[in-house]
Amino acid sequence: MAEMTEIRWHGRGGQGAKTVAEFLALVALDEGKYSQGFPEYGPERSGAPIKGYTRMSAAPIKMHSAVYNPQVVLVLDTSLLDSVDVCEGMSPGGTVIVNTLLSPGEIVERRPELKDKKVWTVDASGIARQEIGKPIPNMPMLGALVKATGVVGLESVQKNIRGEFAAKFSEKVLDGNVRAVERAGREARSN
């Protein structure tokens, strides 16, 4: 049986968790993998907690549910560490990527339940603000995910940013997103 990778994205409305969960599934599909990407959220409003899910596998995926036992969790807003059990269902050794200025060690100090996880941090909001002009952390978080796990290739992400979003955004915004993904990959730190 082929190994399936399950990823859970924790964010707030307006941070792009829904978009990036679905986009990563498209990138995986472009690489020849089977994939799913979808959100889970309550009343749609900016700032409300939401979850996004991405699954990838070399074999067809027959499961159609939320991700309950992720290998990877991405936290787009650090305030969620204090209000949501972001590691629920995650086994020891899982990977947690947090959008923060803090180091991985400082995050583990704040949240001791993360000490048996591989913790990565990146200033995704700062990178997005500087490269795209808006503090929307989803694409920089994707860059950190690529560095931390290699679940998809950086070249595939770059190609798909230009392909999937070309009709919606200017060349300047597309270039900014590509730079943000690359930069987050360079700047992500682990414990």
Side-chain angles (χ1 to χ4, degrees):
M1 184 174 161
E3 171 118 2
M4 182 166 37
T5 301
E6 293 188 292
I7 299 168
R8 190 168 60 216
W9 303 81
H10 288 273
R12 293 193 179 278
Q15 292 183 315
K18 171 189 181 289
T19 299
V20 75
E22 293 171 347
F23 177 73
L24 177 56
L26 291 173
V27 173
L29 186 65
D30 188 56
E31 289 188 347
K33 298 172 183 147
Y34 292 90
S35 63
Q36 299 175 345
F38 54 97
E40 173 187 297
Y41 45 89
E44 297 180 42
R45 66 183 192 278
S46 184
I50 71 156
K51 294 177 191 169
Y53 306 107
T54 309
R55 285 192 178 93
M56 295 175 275
S57 178
I61 301 170
K62 297 180 184 195
M63 180 182 306
H64 299 284
S65 67
V67 170
Y68 297 108
N69 303 107
Q71 290 97 353
V72 183
V73 167
L74 292 100
V75 182
L76 281 67
D77 187 308
T78 54
S79 71
L80 294 171
L81 292 173
D82 298 323
S83 60
V84 175
D85 181 3
V86 298
C87 293
E88 180 180 8
M90 181 181 249
S91 297
T95 300
V96 179
I97 305 169
V98 182
N99 172 21
T100 181
L101 289 167
L102 299 175
S103 72
E106 290 169 315
I107 289 293
V108 172
E109 255 179 51
R110 268 185 66 192
R111 307 301 321 173
E113 68 273 14
L114 297 177
K115 71 179 177 215
D116 66 349
K117 312 288 188 265
K118 183 73 171 173
V119 177
W120 289 76
T121 61
V122 65
D123 180 16
S125 294
I127 291 170
R129 189 178 300 106
Q130 292 170 14
E131 300 296 344
I132 305 163
K134 294 182 179 181
I136 300 172
N138 62 343
M139 288 299 159
M141 291 296 285
L142 180 57
L145 173 70
V146 169
K147 179 176 183 178
T149 67
V151 293
V152 294
L154 179 61
E155 299 78 22
S156 297
V157 171
Q158 295 164 325
K159 177 183 122 188
N160 279 279
I161 286 173
R162 295 192 185 288
E164 290 299 318
F165 300 123
K168 287 178 156 177
F169 299 108
S170 69
E171 195 65 30
K172 179 181 175 183
V173 171
L174 297 175
D175 289 344
N177 275 282
V178 168
R179 283 192 314 272
V181 167
E182 293 168 349
R183 184 172 157 195
R186 288 190 308 272
E187 294 181 16
R189 306 172 285 169
S190 68
N191 58 348

